[in-house]
Amino acid sequence: MSKKKPAYKISEQLSQYLTRQGRNIKIPIYYDDLLRFQGSISIFDKFGNDTLWISVYYSESERDEIELSLKKMYTILHADGSDMVLPYLNIDSIDYCTFGNTKPFRVKVRNILNDNYIFLYIKKADASRIYGLELEHLLSPNHINFLVHGNTLIEEHISGIPGDDFIANNLDSCSEQAKREIAKEFVKFNERCFVRLLGDMRSYNYVMVLTHDFDRIQYRIRAIDFDQQSYEGNAKVYKPQFLKENNKLVEMTLKLLQEESIEQYKREERSLLAKRAASENDRLMELMDCMTVDELSSKAKIKELKKQLFTLTGDVNFKKASNMGEILKSALDFIVRNYKNENPYIIK
């Protein structure tokens, strides 16, 4: 996997798509404004380990204006953008991540009336990430709330236990039935990432979401990082099972699930992807129209990936593809076509 992925500019066609979908909106503060911090303090976790996040602070002359703008940003993302709730909001902290491609800011917004709080993230806008977020919204079980303007991207916080934390501190204490549930979800997550070409799903790039249901806990793995959407040439990068940080989940899955069950869950996930693609067809095709004319990777990586996918599927459309957008469109078409051909209950 590449050490550093370049940022790709948001094209005019993609910007127009985002405007039509209500994603492109006027905002009161930009990513570059937050870079003007005067100092910082390192943040450590409860075990004393450096989190690679720093808490930043600003000069008195700028702090009030920045905090007011961030409060307005919160109301735009989560409400109707009115100023009615601003007196009841407080910016508790502004943190900056020193690791990774996007180097995001994490803002903690607290309601002073009841101490409830929520995080939002402000990042540099990158076309790869925008496509990743939109595809997650359309093709996964999860909805994504984000806004874009210029070079700035604002995302809502995705709640859950970080994958690396869960694997290290929670997995071993799970019951055998819970481990089988997690193994099933890992298979489905692995298939979903591969079909939609979302790469670099190492354990710290997804969270484990736990939902209490009657007499059990349901587990769902949810991606939180979308920088590596349709970028790498090696098809294995799009399968979390081949990333060493997920080895413990892979070993557990192979131990607890029979090969027939693994294949069943793969087919289930491909069918769900096909159904979502069909139900969101108009919006998805509009997004693909943008993606198929965008530059999202190098020619060498495009050539490598389409060759591997053609070898895997035998679908000539992969061979004909000239960019990452066309490769992804071919993959989605392949899944939908197979689902319709194999399902005898579809009314045609």
Side-chain angles (χ1 to χ4, degrees):
M1 188 154 47
S2 302
K3 296 289 184 181
K4 181 76 173 178
K5 185 192 81 66
Y8 290 98
K9 185 179 178 181
I10 297 175
S11 66
E12 181 61 30
Q13 187 170 343
L14 177 57
S15 181
Q16 291 175 4
Y17 166 87
L18 293 170
T19 300
R20 288 191 294 273
Q21 301 303 330
R23 303 288 202 189
N24 201 358
I25 196 166
K26 296 177 182 178
I27 57 176
I29 193 169
Y30 293 88
Y31 178 89
D32 290 343
D33 297 327
L34 293 178
L35 289 173
R36 301 198 305 264
F37 54 85
Q38 296 296 301
S40 63
I41 302 170
S42 296
I43 300 175
F44 298 88
D45 64 19
K46 61 183 178 181
F47 302 108
N49 301 313
D50 190 347
T51 62
L52 302 179
W53 286 83
I54 57 176
S55 181
V56 301
Y57 54 87
Y58 299 82
S59 64
E60 291 187 16
S61 61
E62 291 188 301
R63 185 177 63 222
D64 290 344
E65 180 184 353
I66 286 175
E67 290 188 355
L68 177 60
S69 297
L70 290 172
K71 292 176 189 178
K72 289 181 178 179
M73 184 79 80
Y74 167 85
T75 66
I76 294 170
L77 184 65
H78 290 286
D80 58 4
S82 69
D83 294 344
M84 292 180 59
V85 300
L86 294 183
Y88 312 119
L89 300 178
N90 188 69
I91 304 300
D92 278 6
S93 63
I94 303 173
D95 303 329
Y96 176 66
C97 183
T98 59
F99 174 74
N101 288 325
T102 53
K103 291 185 167 59
F105 284 93
R106 179 178 63 197
V107 181
K108 183 179 180 181
V109 185
R110 178 172 58 89
N111 185 309
I112 62 176
L113 298 179
N114 51 40
D115 281 341
N116 286 331
Y117 64 87
I118 196 168
F119 292 100
L120 58 89
Y121 294 83
I122 301 176
K123 307 175 180 181
K124 282 186 177 180
D126 170 33
S128 300
R129 189 175 187 87
I130 300 300
Y131 284 119
L133 287 163
E134 271 293 293
L135 288 165
E136 179 76 2
H137 182 77
L138 297 174
L139 297 176
S140 83
N142 315 299
H143 290 294
I144 297 285
N145 187 16
F146 71 92
L147 300 173
V148 186
H149 192 74
N151 71 336
T152 301
L153 169 66
I154 305 97
E155 293 180 35
E156 68 175 353
H157 176 66
I158 298 176
S159 300
I161 304 173
D164 53 346
D165 188 1
F166 184 87
I167 292 171
N169 302 310
N170 300 90
L171 187 60
D172 290 338
S173 60
C174 291
S175 66
E176 287 301 302
Q177 181 57 42
K179 288 179 180 178
R180 285 192 286 270
E181 289 279 347
I182 295 168
K184 170 186 174 181
E185 176 58 25
F186 183 69
V187 171
K188 294 169 78 70
F189 178 68
N190 189 78
E191 193 68 12
R192 187 160 67 247
C193 291
F194 180 56
V195 171
R196 51 156 299 194
L197 299 183
L198 177 61
D200 195 21
M201 279 299 106
R202 287 176 280 192
S203 55
Y204 50 77
N205 285 333
Y206 58 78
V207 294
M208 188 71 70
V209 182
L210 281 61
T211 304
H212 288 267
D213 178 30
F214 293 113
D215 57 349
R216 63 171 181 164
I217 297 176
Q218 287 190 329
Y219 297 85
R220 174 177 291 174
I221 301 176
R222 185 172 180 184
I224 60 172
D225 193 309
F226 302 93
D227 290 339
Q228 296 284 337
Q229 174 65 51
S230 303
Y231 174 69
E232 291 290 350
N234 186 351
K236 288 185 176 181
V237 171
Y238 300 108
K239 287 193 172 186
Q241 72 183 80
F242 290 115
L243 302 175
K244 63 180 181 180
E245 290 81 0
N246 298 321
N247 282 349
K248 195 169 182 179
L249 285 180
V250 174
E251 292 168 2
M252 183 188 74
T253 299
L254 294 175
K255 178 182 177 182
L256 296 178
L257 298 184
Q258 296 179 338
E259 187 175 339
E260 293 82 1
S261 293
I262 292 175
E263 185 58 34
Q264 172 199 340
Y265 297 141
K266 286 182 179 181
R267 290 173 66 89
E268 287 181 7
E269 191 58 34
R270 288 196 294 268
S271 296
L272 287 171
L273 281 164
K275 291 175 182 178
R276 295 185 192 114
S279 65
E280 295 285 356
N281 181 69
D282 292 344
R283 182 168 173 177
L284 184 60
M285 288 302 101
E286 190 178 350
L287 182 65
M288 288 295 99
D289 288 342
C290 298
M291 199 171 182
T292 51
V293 296
D294 251 348
E295 178 189 357
L296 297 172
S297 189
S298 66
K299 291 182 179 180
K301 293 180 185 296
I302 293 168
K303 183 178 180 180
E304 179 185 7
L305 181 61
K306 71 178 189 178
K307 181 179 179 181
Q308 290 185 18
L309 293 179
F310 172 71
T311 300
L312 178 67
T313 64
D315 188 341
V316 72
N317 289 324
F318 287 113
K319 200 172 184 178
K320 294 178 180 178
S322 61
N323 57 43
M324 283 295 184
E326 291 183 1
I327 292 175
L328 178 59
K329 187 177 184 301
S330 298
L332 296 176
D333 288 345
F334 180 81
I335 292 297
V336 172
R337 187 168 63 249
N338 282 359
Y339 168 72
K340 290 181 177 180
N341 289 340
E342 292 182 17
N343 192 333
Y345 299 100
I346 292 180
I347 299 175
K348 300 179 181 179

